[in-house]
Amino acid sequence: MTDTDTSLQPKKKGLTRRQKRTLSRGVQYAVFAAAVIAFAVTADWGRLQNQFAQADIAEQMFPDVITLALKNTVLYTLSGFVVGLVLGMVIALMRLSSVGPYRWLAGVYIEIFRGLPALLIFIFVGVAVPLAFPGTEIPGGTYGKVALALGLVSAAYMAETIRAGIQAVPKGQMEAARSLGFSPAKAMISIIIPQAFRIILPPLTNELVLLFKDSSLVLFLGVTLEERELSKFGRDLASTTANSTPILVAGLCYLLVTIPLSLVVRRMETKAQEAIR
């Protein structure tokens, strides 16, 4: 066969890009469906129900799981968030300061407390602080200790978030404020920081979700029965009943708070992106 005859043969066409995407999506759905079916068929649902879904044990948790455990968890989280926000604001301003030692000190704090596990911070607050300052009590008892521990943990992350938000505000805003007679400090407080918070509100809300889960570390500070949060409350009842249903109920209570907060974060992020466009 000559070269001319070969060139006259019709070329084989492969799949188009759209067909490839459709095929890939179909394969992914098939894999997902196969995994779900395999789990549903192989799981021992009877044993799972006996261990995690005993209605009579769940009923014993109410209303204390809401009025005591969930309430304490929310209080611990909010108090830690407030402390972290105030401390984070101070560290962020130090980080942006023209004074070298301030910037250095803020940088060291951020690197240390972002690198340490939250558990170690709780142990530090519960053990090291009383040893370092004998006879000194942290105001608020356990609530104060938790607020300090969570605040120290979150301040490092919030400081970087706040710093990024301040730097995201156009420099012209500061120049315009100065031209109107504002001092640098007044311009920062009245003009720059409010605009920065509009930018960083979604990540700050996300930090609140993380703190809500980190509040479970309060057990390492030693708490009374009236100071238990959701995780400690669930673990205590699980040990008493020799059943994991209280753990499941405590987990669902966490989701009652974290899922709505996550939806709020997504909504705020969407609005922020629409505003940029």
Side-chain angles (χ1 to χ4, degrees), residues 77-91:
T77 303
L78 293 179
S79 60
F81 183 81
V82 171
V83 173
L85 184 61
V86 173
L87 185 57
M89 174 64 71
V90 173
I91 296 172

Side-chain angles (χ1 to χ4, degrees), residues 6-24:
T6 303
S7 62
L8 293 176
Q9 292 180 353
K11 296 181 179 180
K12 295 182 180 180
K13 294 183 178 180
L15 296 175
T16 64
R17 185 176 301 177
R18 183 175 181 179
Q19 290 174 331
K20 290 180 179 178
R21 287 200 302 265
T22 302
L23 179 61
S24 175

Side-chain angles (χ1 to χ4, degrees), residues 163-263:
R163 179 185 63 82
I166 291 174
Q167 292 180 326
V169 176
K171 294 182 179 180
Q173 296 292 317
M174 175 63 79
E175 296 172 356
R178 293 300 305 279
S179 67
L180 294 175
F182 284 75
S183 65
K186 187 175 181 180
M188 179 64 70
I189 295 173
S190 303
I191 306 297
I192 305 302
I193 290 179
Q195 294 186 61
F197 266 85
R198 292 182 59 185
I199 299 172
I200 64 176
L201 196 55
L204 285 182
T205 307
N206 193 50
E207 181 64 27
L208 181 62
V209 175
L210 296 177
L211 281 182
F212 188 76
K213 294 184 291 184
D214 285 342
S215 65
S216 61
L217 297 173
V218 67
L219 66 94
F220 291 98
L221 296 177
V223 294
T224 65
L225 292 177
E226 296 299 319
E227 295 170 340
R228 291 178 298 173
E229 41 69 53
L230 281 171
S231 293
K232 175 66 172 172
F233 186 85
R235 278 193 294 267
D236 288 348
L237 282 181
S239 299
T240 302
T241 59
N243 190 274
S244 298
T245 299
I247 301 295
L248 177 62
V249 175
L252 293 176
C253 289
Y254 275 105
L255 294 178
L256 287 176
V257 177
T258 57
I259 289 178
L261 281 177
S262 299
L263 293 176

